[in-house]
Amino acid sequence: MSAPQDYHTDAILGAVLETTDDMICAVDAQDYRILAFNSGLARHIRATLGKEVRVGSRPEEILSAENAAIWRGYYRRAIDQGPFSVTHPGLIQGQTLWLSFNRLIKDGRCFGASSFAHDITPFEQAVEAAKAAEDRFAKVFRHNPFPLLVTTADRGIVLAANQVLADLVGRERSDVIGRTSTEIGLWESPSERARLLEAMKTRGRLAGFPTRYRRADGELLHGLLSCEAINLDGVDCFLVSLADVTPLRTAEQALRASELRYRALFENAPEAIVLIDADTGQHVDANANAARYVGVDQAALLAAGSVPARLVSQPEKPSPTRTLREHLAHAANGETLVFEWVHTSSGGKPVNCEVRMSPFPDPTRRLVRASIIDIEDRKRAEREAAQLRAQLEQTQRLDSLGTLASGIAPDFN
């Protein structure tokens, strides 16, 4: 496309040179006096050095002797050898410049040299900031208290691993980096990584993903894995964090086993057992014998909330509920109580029982364990024994009277 007729090509090029912030200059081939310059050069020199640039100025009149010598060397190199480019910091105070030099030719003769300077200080600063950020990230990665590793997404080659990860799996970092997680035998089985990849494909990222991994000595441990997809220099990678939860899982298994043992003892105990909240008076658990003792099914007993009246009734006492709460309060405070009680059976018959109360450990509530034993047979045996003793005493008294009568009869005769 040709330039509009009312604009000359030289004028257009001159406008372009004057509107750029880059510094453009032409110097004489003999003494390097300035032949021409653009306003970009004038602005930069004025802003950084506080000097004015003029046609005919020499480098020594603008720059320090050291920098002036550097510029002269660059111009001489361009005149003698032809065009070249170079990056140089500090030629103008506080700036890093990208410099391009070339010969000026007219009628086949080199009469000078041109220079083109672009301020790349912001770019250099951005590079330095990125390098500093990368260094900070590397330090955070290396010194992170959590086990970390970076692997390629396709094959799982370990690109980086911190020392915590190496210690966790019982290996040297040099033994881990450059090998796949399958090659170092990290997972419980080869299918484990496939399961992780499928989860990543479905969810996009993982947090607290349960897995099992293997140490160098063959020990299998429980872990929680977190994984984030990242891109490093165009390579799809995974940033993986692995937390060892083996002690927690071991404690959980021990707790479950303890709970199962307790539940078996609780449910198969020969006596009726209830757990009572000492503050609310409600029972929170009961075994099957307790339900049979009260005369309702187990679900109904637990749904009833407070202890059923026929379980706590004691007709001969005016305020049985208050007395029971007093017992609960003492037991909740650490005492072990054993006392006799009377409750009403489902048929309305008073039944003697023995209650044993003791505190039951719970981190959130004050619970009391109450075991109830039907002692009606024992009471009946005690009553029968008392009757037998009374009959025996009566017989003994009659025998004594008979002996006494037989002894005094001759006297009367």
Side-chain angles (χ1 to χ4, degrees):
M1 180 183 292
S2 61
Q5 295 181 356
D6 54 343
Y7 288 101
H8 194 275
T9 301
D10 291 341
I12 295 174
L13 293 177
V16 171
L17 295 177
E18 288 302 315
T19 55
T20 180
D21 283 333
D22 295 325
M23 295 168 277
I24 302 173
C25 182
V27 298
D28 182 77
Q30 301 302 318
D31 56 7
Y32 311 111
R33 291 180 181 273
I34 294 178
L35 301 177
F37 61 91
N38 72 340
S39 59
L41 175 67
R43 286 194 302 270
H44 277 79
I45 297 298
R46 188 183 304 117
T48 57
L49 302 178
K51 295 184 179 181
E52 296 294 333
V53 181
R54 296 180 178 86
V55 173
S57 297
R58 294 179 302 165
E60 293 81 359
E61 298 173 3
I62 302 171
L63 305 173
S64 66
E66 180 182 358
N67 285 341
I70 294 174
W71 278 93
R72 282 176 172 270
Y74 285 153
Y75 284 133
R76 173 51 54 193
R77 177 181 170 185
I79 292 170
D80 293 343
Q81 302 179 16
F84 70 94
S85 299
V86 65
T87 299
H88 200 118
L91 284 178
I92 296 180
Q93 185 178 5
Q95 293 178 313
T96 298
L97 302 177
W98 178 79
L99 305 173
S100 177
F101 296 90
N102 206 346
R103 292 170 173 171
L104 294 176
I105 305 293
K106 186 176 182 181
D107 298 331
R109 183 179 69 87
C110 177
F111 67 91
S114 65
S115 64
F116 175 90
H118 179 70
D119 182 11
I120 62 172
T121 306
F123 173 76
E124 289 286 305
Q125 292 173 342
V127 171
E128 289 298 321
K131 186 176 183 301
E134 184 178 351
D135 291 341
R136 287 194 297 271
F137 170 79
K139 288 181 180 179
V140 170
F141 184 87
R142 287 195 301 269
H143 301 294
N144 196 294
F146 296 99
L148 298 175
L149 70 158
V150 177
T151 72
T152 59
D154 54 355
R155 295 182 54 198
I157 299 174
V158 178
L159 303 180
N162 64 358
Q163 189 60 45
V164 183
L165 186 280
D167 293 340
L168 182 65
V169 298
R171 298 178 182 272
E172 297 293 331
R173 289 180 64 247
S174 57
D175 294 336
V176 175
I177 297 175
R179 304 172 65 188
T180 68
S181 56
T182 304
E183 287 173 347
I184 63 177
L186 181 61
W187 307 119
E188 179 183 12
S189 64
S191 62
E192 187 70 2
R193 185 172 188 272
R195 187 173 74 92
L196 298 176
L197 290 176
E198 184 62 28
M200 279 293 293
K201 181 179 179 181
T202 304
R203 307 180 192 179
R205 62 189 302 270
L206 298 177
F209 187 80
T211 185
R212 296 196 71 186
Y213 64 97
R214 191 185 307 275
R215 285 176 50 86
D217 57 10
E219 181 184 5
L220 277 173
L221 302 176
H222 294 274
L224 291 180
L225 181 143
S226 297
C227 185
E228 192 77 33
I230 60 174
N231 188 281
L232 296 178
D233 299 328
V235 179
D236 291 331
C237 299
F238 292 147
L239 173 61
V240 181
S241 172
L242 185 62
D244 180 18
V245 295
T246 305
L248 178 61
R249 290 297 174 88
T250 302
E252 288 177 347
Q253 291 171 356
L255 179 60
R256 281 197 295 269
S258 176
E259 289 176 345
L260 290 174
R261 288 193 297 269
Y262 162 75
R263 202 69 206 175
L265 292 173
F266 183 82
E267 290 295 341
N268 298 319
E271 70 268 29
I273 301 177
V274 291
L275 292 182
I276 306 171
D277 189 322
D279 296 316
T280 64
Q282 294 187 341
H283 54 276
V284 297
D285 202 354
N287 66 359
N289 279 339
R292 285 192 294 269
Y293 196 70
V294 177
V296 297
D297 61 60
Q298 202 167 0
L301 177 58
L302 294 176
S306 61
V307 180
R310 59 176 177 270
L311 184 62
V312 303
S313 61
Q314 193 172 13
E316 64 272 20
K317 295 201 173 187
S319 182
T321 303
R322 187 183 69 245
T323 305
L324 180 63
R325 287 192 179 277
E326 290 174 356
H327 285 307
L328 287 172
H330 285 290
N333 289 332
E335 296 184 32
T336 297
L337 306 176
V338 180
F339 54 90
E340 294 184 1
W341 204 256
V342 178
H343 90 94
T344 305
S345 68
S346 57
K349 179 183 177 182
V351 178
N352 288 283
C353 60
E354 180 181 87
V355 180
R356 181 182 296 269
M357 285 186 175
S358 58
F360 187 84
D362 188 276
T364 60
R365 293 175 292 185
R366 295 198 313 153
L367 297 184
V368 171
R369 178 185 184 275
S371 61
I372 306 164
I373 302 175
D374 186 343
I375 58 172
E376 188 62 33
D377 291 340
R378 189 178 77 188
K379 285 293 186 179
R380 185 181 304 109
E382 289 176 355
R383 290 194 296 268
E384 292 175 352
Q387 292 175 358
L388 289 174
R389 283 195 299 272
Q391 291 174 1
L392 180 59
E393 290 172 358
Q394 180 67 19
T395 302
Q396 289 174 343
R397 283 197 297 271
L398 292 176
D399 288 344
S400 297
L401 289 175
T403 302
L404 179 61
S406 62
I408 64 173
D411 294 339
F412 282 105
N413 292 332

